[in-house]
Amino acid sequence: MKRILSKNQYEYMSNGIKMSMPYLINKIDSQVVNDKVIINVSEDVACGIRDWAMDRQVRVGFDENYSLTDEGQILNDLIDVFYE
């Protein structure tokens, strides 16, 4: 499955996955086109990325008023991209 991410989303995702799920990073085929990153992943890898983003969002994605933080918004966008 192909997905399009901003460079910021891709960098955040790849850095987070390298630290917490390094076995997934080698399963992500990416290509930079202009200001976007096109990635190609299997359904299983997409589910792994989505699960990682959801878990991370619960831990760091909200402020004391339960509003999304900047980091939480990036994670929310990644969840949406990989939910399809």
Side-chain angles (χ1 to χ4, degrees):
M1 85 179 15
K2 287 188 179 185
R3 296 291 184 246
I4 299 173
L5 304 175
S6 70
K7 286 184 179 181
N8 188 38
Q9 290 170 328
Y10 179 75
E11 288 176 13
Y12 181 90
M13 179 196 74
S14 62
N15 287 335
I17 288 175
K18 283 177 191 174
M19 295 178 71
S20 60
M21 301 170 70
Y23 58 91
L24 278 185
I25 202 66
N26 293 332
K27 297 179 180 184
I28 299 172
D29 179 33
S30 63
Q31 174 184 357
V32 177
V33 177
N34 297 325
D35 61 339
K36 302 291 183 186
V37 179
I38 300 171
I39 65 168
N40 191 19
V41 295
S42 69
E43 184 68 35
D44 289 340
V45 172
C47 287
I49 294 169
R50 185 179 64 242
D51 290 346
W52 164 80
M54 290 169 59
D55 290 344
R56 179 116 179 109
Q57 187 181 47
V58 168
R59 287 180 288 160
V60 301
F62 300 94
D63 64 17
E64 61 276 352
N65 296 319
Y66 300 105
S67 297
L68 281 175
T69 62
D70 291 342
E71 189 173 2
Q73 185 60 56
I74 292 171
L75 289 160
N76 195 62
D77 293 342
L78 288 170
I79 292 165
D80 288 346
V81 166
F82 290 101
Y83 189 70
E84 300 175 358

